[in-house]
Amino acid sequence: MHRNTFKKEERLSSKTKLDRLFNQGASMFVYPFKVLFLTEVATNENNASVQVVFTVPKRTFKHAVTRNLIRRRAKEAYRLNKQQLTELANDKNIQLSIAFIYIDKEVKDYKGIEKGIKKALTKLLAKQ
């Protein structure tokens, strides 16, 4: 049985990786997200992974409580639906960096956010 977890190693926090993702990464729009992604060959066997970052613009949502709510919903949707993507990364020995940027002007319920995450992951699988 596979456990659905979202550990520290799966979060994209390295400044250099983030800069590379935002400067060289490809992008696509999957409502309510803009998805940036960058595929690199993993240097060694245990380095094949998927790292993700979720952003919600302060300009659109002034209150931190609201930004955190959207981010929590997106993280949960990703956590429950990421299996195929991590398996693909391990099989192909690639390192995938992904940024989910929330672009909607209103707070969506969990079902709406999960639908967007699922669609984005499906498109990412097709592009790999």
Side-chain angles (χ1 to χ4, degrees), residues 4 30-33 54 70 72-83 100 102 108-122:
N4 294 323
V30 182
Y31 188 78
F33 295 99
F54 297 90
I70 295 167
R72 271 197 314 273
R73 287 178 179 172
K75 282 180 184 178
E76 181 66 6
Y78 172 77
R79 182 184 74 84
L80 294 173
N81 297 294
K82 68 176 180 172
Q83 295 86 359
F100 288 97
Y102 191 79
K108 287 194 117 7
D109 63 337
Y110 175 75
K111 282 191 180 358
I113 290 176
E114 185 180 34
K115 187 177 171 187
I117 292 280
K118 280 182 177 178
K119 209 183 296 182
L121 293 176
T122 306

Side-chain angles (χ1 to χ4, degrees), residues 16-124:
T16 54
K17 282 187 181 180
L18 279 167
D19 287 343
R20 201 167 39 231
L21 172 63
F22 281 92
N23 292 329
Q24 301 169 7
S27 69
M28 63 182 172
F29 283 94
V30 182
Y31 188 78
F33 295 99
K34 176 182 180 184
V35 182
L36 291 167
F37 60 97
L38 183 65
T39 308
E40 298 172 316
V41 178
T43 50
N44 57 6
E45 212 50 42
N46 35 346
N47 207 8
S49 67
V50 179
Q51 288 189 315
V52 187
V53 65
F54 297 90
T55 61
V56 181
K58 194 173 188 178
R59 181 183 291 171
T60 311
F61 300 99
K62 304 290 185 202
H63 301 286
V65 174
T66 311
R67 292 194 303 273
N68 291 339
L69 172 72
I70 295 167
R71 206 175 292 117
R72 271 197 314 273
R73 287 178 179 172
K75 282 180 184 178
E76 181 66 6
Y78 172 77
R79 182 184 74 84
L80 294 173
N81 297 294
K82 68 176 180 172
Q83 295 86 359
Q84 288 180 308
L85 201 61
T86 52
E87 287 169 7
L88 177 90
N90 289 330
D91 292 345
K92 289 192 171 183
N93 197 34
I94 56 174
Q95 189 155 26
L96 195 58
S97 301
I98 308 168
F100 288 97
I101 304 167
Y102 191 79
I103 55 171
D104 198 354
K105 300 287 183 231
E106 275 127 40
V107 179
K108 287 194 117 7
D109 63 337
Y110 175 75
K111 282 191 180 358
I113 290 176
E114 185 180 34
K115 187 177 171 187
I117 292 280
K118 280 182 177 178
K119 209 183 296 182
L121 293 176
T122 306
K123 276 189 171 184
L124 275 170

